[in-house]
Amino acid sequence: MSRAAMPPGSFQVRDGELMAGGRSVTELAAEAGTPLYIYDSGLIAARVSELRAAMPAGLDLHYAIKANPLPAVVGLLAGLVDGLDVASSGELERALATGIPVSRISFAGPGKTDAELRMAATAGVTVNLESAGEMRRLAAISSALGTRARVAVRVNPLFELRQSGMRMGGGPKQFGVDEEAVPALLAELAGLPLEFLGFHIFAGSQILNGEVLIDCLEKTVDLATRLAADAPAPVRYINLGGGFGIPYFPGEAALDLGRIGGALGPLLARGRAACPDAAFAIELGRYLVGEAGLYVSRIVDRKVSRGKTFLVTDGGLHHHLALSGNFGQVIRKNYPLAIAGRMNMPATETADVVGCLCTPLDRLGDNVALPETAVGDLVVVFQSGAYGASASPAGFLGHQPAAERLV
Ligand SMILES: *Cc1c(COP(=O)(O)O)cnc(C)c1O
């Protein structure tokens, strides 16, 4: 039996009620309606402070908007971090709308269209080049605009993440320019109307093993400083990626930030010695927002089928695909899950929690230990602040989208 659980050190409980941003989740759900995402601004700010305290001084912290593009969340983070990383013109618009200086916005991602490149060049944000073809198209656009677009070269490293996590570098990839092809690309770049700033290297995502993460950051710093020898101008910007993971499932533990920060100190010193003009950055998505978010749905029906209890809610995979196990997982596992108004009650039954879609894939929790529940109770899923609403097939089956509130 998998236990209902709440991750340690996050949301508070008052008189058996789960709280977010100083208010009860029950009250927030009554106000906004269900299904509902709640993001706690205090927890996001605390996470940023915790990172700042643990990382070496002067390391820039960027937010990768794709983890949670809600304008209120992007606006909050724009005031807390040193840069915003976008991956589409839509995200670029949201980043620009925060008023953060354009020099602090970078635009990565394969398949940028001419219209997107023109928008980036006009705005003056940094374009992380994903290929030689993209570089040439941007150069032509820069020429036509009479400007020199700011660029960094995204590198697809030869090394791969040793284990765990979602790999986005190493081997043949649609991301970045192969490490071995970078010197020739830089030689060509030198003759184009582009302003070269530096490198962007992102090896992968959701890394929970500190040793793997440190190893990856070390290889990344060394690769960037090696490539700097072929740069057409002094390197001013090195984005080391990130990939800091968060624990979603039973048995997973949080990263030891102190250890990672401790290892990064000497690495950064090495990087700065080789590239004294460079600002070094890490770009994080889920690590900043994932643990600060709840997904709340209401129990609409309780039924027993051949001895198994089902709690049927008004939510589902159309709002939270990852929770259902269909966003990259191989074996479905339960996110931590609880009942908002019954936090102090012991678990007395085991139930399957499902959504309202007509597909057996629509599962919120399998064999979850829960207190006695009734129709109308609120099921809360933790670790839901990243890759939720915006990473789910909201149009599937024509239900209403989930509400989203930053509190
Ligand atoms: C998705 C992505 C991120 C954010 O990944 P997280 O796992 O949410 O931290 C950062 N950088 C790039 C280039 C990405 O594609």
Side-chain angles (χ1 to χ4, degrees), residues 64 66-67 154 168 200 202 205-206 244 283-286 387:
K66 84 169 191 278
R154 180 165 179 185
M168 290 180 71
H200 174 218
F202 181 74
S205 207
Q206 183 51 18
F244 291 32
E283 54 174 1
L284 304 179
R286 79 185 75 222
Y387 304 108

Side-chain angles (χ1 to χ4, degrees), residues 72-249:
V73 170
V74 177
L76 170 70
L77 277 160
L80 298 173
V81 300
D82 306 300
L84 295 175
D85 294 331
V86 305
S88 70
S89 54
E91 289 189 356
L92 178 53
E93 277 168 15
R94 289 181 188 206
L96 291 169
T98 66
I100 194 172
V102 290
S103 60
R104 297 183 169 277
I105 301 175
S106 58
F107 187 174
K112 297 182 201 75
T113 63
D114 284 359
E116 287 177 315
L117 293 173
R118 197 172 301 112
M119 183 177 165
T122 305
V125 305
T126 302
V127 177
N128 294 338
L129 298 172
E130 302 276 350
S131 73
E134 187 173 276
M135 174 179 74
R136 291 173 197 137
R137 283 192 292 128
L138 181 61
I141 288 164
S142 280
S143 244
L145 291 171
T147 160
R148 288 165 68 83
R150 295 155 60 86
V151 298
V153 175
R154 180 165 179 185
V155 182
N156 175 26
L158 274 167
F159 70 83
E160 289 204 359
L161 280 185
R162 269 205 277 122
Q163 43 156 289
S164 80
M166 199 184 291
R167 287 179 191 175
M168 290 180 71
K173 286 280 182 301
Q174 73 263 52
F175 310 109
V177 179
D178 292 344
E179 167 185 338
E180 56 278 25
V182 169
L185 180 111
L186 291 172
E188 182 180 346
L189 196 157
L192 297 174
L194 299 172
E195 185 183 345
F196 172 80
L197 296 182
F199 299 106
H200 174 218
I201 304 171
F202 181 74
S205 207
Q206 183 51 18
I207 305 167
L208 271 178
N209 180 325
E211 206 186 307
V212 168
L213 184 52
I214 291 164
D215 178 61
C216 176
L217 288 166
E218 175 164 26
K219 287 175 173 152
T220 303
V221 169
D222 288 345
L223 173 57
T225 52
R226 251 194 342 268
L227 291 172
D230 291 303
V235 172
R236 283 184 278 156
Y237 169 70
I238 295 177
N239 182 332
L240 302 171
F244 291 32
I246 61 171
Y248 289 100
F249 306 121

Side-chain angles (χ1 to χ4, degrees), residues 11-380:
F11 293 88
Q12 305 212 313
V13 173
R14 202 176 294 160
D15 301 328
E17 278 278 345
L18 185 66
M19 310 294 290
R23 308 202 35 210
S24 91
V25 167
T26 301
E27 199 180 291
L28 289 165
E31 216 169 86
T34 56
L36 166 69
Y37 278 98
I38 300 171
Y39 312 117
D40 186 318
S41 51
L43 289 178
I44 294 174
R47 176 51 60 93
V48 171
S49 308
E50 204 185 334
L51 265 164
R52 297 264 195 214
M55 294 298 121
L59 177 67
D60 284 349
L61 176 61
H62 291 196
Y63 174 53
I65 289 186
K66 84 169 191 278
N68 188 327
L70 188 74
V73 170
V74 177
L76 170 70
L77 277 160
L80 298 173
V81 300
D82 306 300
L84 295 175
D85 294 331
V86 305
S88 70
S89 54
E91 289 189 356
L92 178 53
E93 277 168 15
R94 289 181 188 206
L96 291 169
T98 66
I100 194 172
V102 290
S103 60
R104 297 183 169 277
I105 301 175
S106 58
F107 187 174
K112 297 182 201 75
T113 63
D114 284 359
E116 287 177 315
L117 293 173
R118 197 172 301 112
M119 183 177 165
T122 305
V125 305
T126 302
V127 177
N128 294 338
L129 298 172
E130 302 276 350
S131 73
E134 187 173 276
M135 174 179 74
R136 291 173 197 137
R137 283 192 292 128
L138 181 61
I141 288 164
S142 280
S143 244
L145 291 171
T147 160
R148 288 165 68 83
R150 295 155 60 86
V151 298
V153 175
R154 180 165 179 185
V155 182
N156 175 26
L158 274 167
F159 70 83
E160 289 204 359
L161 280 185
R162 269 205 277 122
Q163 43 156 289
S164 80
M166 199 184 291
R167 287 179 191 175
M168 290 180 71
K173 286 280 182 301
Q174 73 263 52
F175 310 109
V177 179
D178 292 344
E179 167 185 338
E180 56 278 25
V182 169
L185 180 111
L186 291 172
E188 182 180 346
L189 196 157
L192 297 174
L194 299 172
E195 185 183 345
F196 172 80
L197 296 182
F199 299 106
H200 174 218
I201 304 171
F202 181 74
S205 207
Q206 183 51 18
I207 305 167
L208 271 178
N209 180 325
E211 206 186 307
V212 168
L213 184 52
I214 291 164
D215 178 61
C216 176
L217 288 166
E218 175 164 26
K219 287 175 173 152
T220 303
V221 169
D222 288 345
L223 173 57
T225 52
R226 251 194 342 268
L227 291 172
D230 291 303
V235 172
R236 283 184 278 156
Y237 169 70
I238 295 177
N239 182 332
L240 302 171
F244 291 32
I246 61 171
Y248 289 100
F249 306 121
E252 291 184 338
L255 285 169
D256 178 349
L257 273 190
R259 191 164 149 235
I260 296 160
L264 250 176
L267 281 182
L268 216 55
R270 203 151 98 198
R272 286 192 176 121
C275 299
D277 301 314
F280 286 80
I282 52 172
E283 54 174 1
L284 304 179
R286 79 185 75 222
Y287 197 77
L288 300 184
V289 294
E291 298 187 84
L294 304 172
Y295 175 62
V296 184
S297 63
R298 199 177 288 281
I299 298 174
V300 174
D301 196 13
R302 250 189 87 93
K303 62 187 277 190
V304 177
S305 167
R306 305 216 162 98
K308 201 175 208 3
T309 301
F310 286 85
L311 305 175
V312 186
T313 80
D314 58 3
L317 71 77
H318 52 314
H319 303 141
H320 201 331
L321 187 64
L323 161 68
S324 73
N326 295 292
F327 192 62
Q329 298 95 321
V330 180
I331 299 164
R332 188 190 181 285
K333 293 182 199 151
N334 290 339
Y335 275 48
L337 186 152
I339 305 298
R342 301 176 189 261
M343 298 300 292
N344 290 349
M345 292 186 192
T348 50
E349 71 171 7
T350 301
D352 276 20
V353 184
V354 299
C356 58
L357 303 188
C358 285
T359 161
L361 299 178
D362 195 15
R363 316 189 67 76
L364 279 65
D366 295 328
N367 298 314
V368 191
L370 290 171
E372 190 72 32
T373 52
V375 166
D377 282 350
L378 297 170
V379 173
V380 177

